[in-house]
Amino acid sequence: MRRKSLLILIYHHLQGQGYMEAAVALDQETNGGVRRHEVCDNIDLEMVLMEYESYHYVKFQKYPKLIRKTVEQGEIRCARSGRGKRCSTVSRLPKITPSQSQQCGNGDKKDNGSSIPPEGSEFGLSVSSCKNGQVVELAMSRKGQMPDGKFSIHDAIKGAAVDSDYKERLLKPLSGFSGMSGEMAELAAVISRDIYLHSPNVRWEDIIGLEDAKRLVKEAVVYPIKYPELFKGLLSPWKSLLLYGPPGTGKTLLAKAVATECKMTFFNISASSIVSKWRGDSEKLIRVLFLLARYHAPSTIFLDELESVMGQRGASMGGEHESSWRMKSELLVQMDGLVRSEELVFVLAASNLPWELDTAMLRRLEKRILVNLPSAPARQAMISHWLPPLNSTRGVELRTELDYETLAKDMEGYSGSDIRLVCKEAAMRPVRKIFDVLESHHQGDTVMPAIRLETVTTADVLEVIAHTKPSARSLTDRYTTWEREYESV
Ligand code: ADP
């Protein structure tokens, strides 16, 4: 039912834009099923068209070819809608006057005639819409990419950001998105508020152990950015990679270190939150996210908990919630777009359950890196990092006397995050013992008593270990089996 409505919309849009042959072909393909329906005028046709492109790609593994009748330069079709005047122009756009440009947030665009795609160019379609006198140009690639140079919203953003400082860029240009549609602008605002991370601030040396994973990530992403001349042709950089392994082993830290060390814009999004928070809008959110990432390139999009959205898809759409199906499709389309583009936008995806991932997604994540539980030396380094012999903060000293080697042995199967929790709990014990003193002091005396915390011993930590369970030990074999089957190197 939904597909038919979409086809009807597309049919009328094609007609309205002068793509007569495409409209007739569509009508014939559906045995005349789309011609007899009218279109309501409250539909965002640009969105519909993009949606159709995505749908077509996923269904037939190729983008639809949209053709149009040639029109005279400057021809404008205007149609009256219930919401006021709405105009559309086809690819030969009228020149945008400075005042219009200003309204569109596109102050520095010189000549819109230059945006006409040349014959045979990869940008098959250029649609402009005019709302309340504002001209907004939207050029769409047949390959489903948002061609940056063609996207007036993109130019608008760039224009607004030219002189601004790197970190401010994401905040300033958002006004440019209002030229496109209020909905997109809202999503862009959400992304810069909740998903864009100003300063991930994780250095390689903050990550303990994981030497192999660090080396592989550096080879795949960091060196191509540092030494681009070495990574051409066959060696062109990976655009997306999968970090998989038990939870709490440092996958997020690795992604943040990439962004910090390469000074990349970092978008951090948990896949499950896309679904839960933006259920209806998740697909549009993905689209805007990639658009922003391209503008702010070099950027990293870190997609955490990938399995929660990219689980095995049912046969076609059967049994699966449609909006989640469309979101997945959009993600796949966007990732294909990245491979073809020159911009440095990387998708680092993380999954704790890689065997649950959709094969279509796995194909796109060609580089897969196991981020495993810490080795014995790494565990030892972690314990001495979090529980050093002397830890002094704000005048309170915490001393430890620990047999690090024994503790590391006893914490086999623990993730970095588990070890940190054990250390925290052990450090809490002597602090807990002084609460009574502090509380009784608080009620009466105003002079703070001298505090001397008890030393944390190996026995204390062993006791904590006895009361905790590592969170992922049971899955270790599964990761190594999966690694043998799917590891890319
Ligand atoms: P993941 O993304 O693999 O689930 P994170 O990278 O979010 O795990 O790690 C969670 C926390 O555990 C980190 O914030 C850090 O405190 C600790 N941690 C885990 N692995 C390491 C590591 N290798 N080095 C330092 N800290 C670690």
Side-chain angles (χ1 to χ4, degrees), residues 398-414:
L398 181 68
R399 289 173 189 279
T400 65
E401 276 174 22
L402 301 174
D403 177 350
Y404 291 114
E405 205 179 326
T406 305
L407 292 176
K409 233 183 247 162
D410 270 61
M411 278 199 250
E412 195 191 341
Y414 281 60

Side-chain angles (χ1 to χ4, degrees), residues 422-441:
V422 168
C423 294
K424 192 173 172 184
E425 178 57 30
M428 193 62 199
R429 296 185 144 219
V431 176
R432 217 172 263 141
K433 286 184 189 159
I434 61 156
F435 280 153
D436 286 346
V437 182
L438 284 176
E439 286 289 291
S440 58
H441 153 77

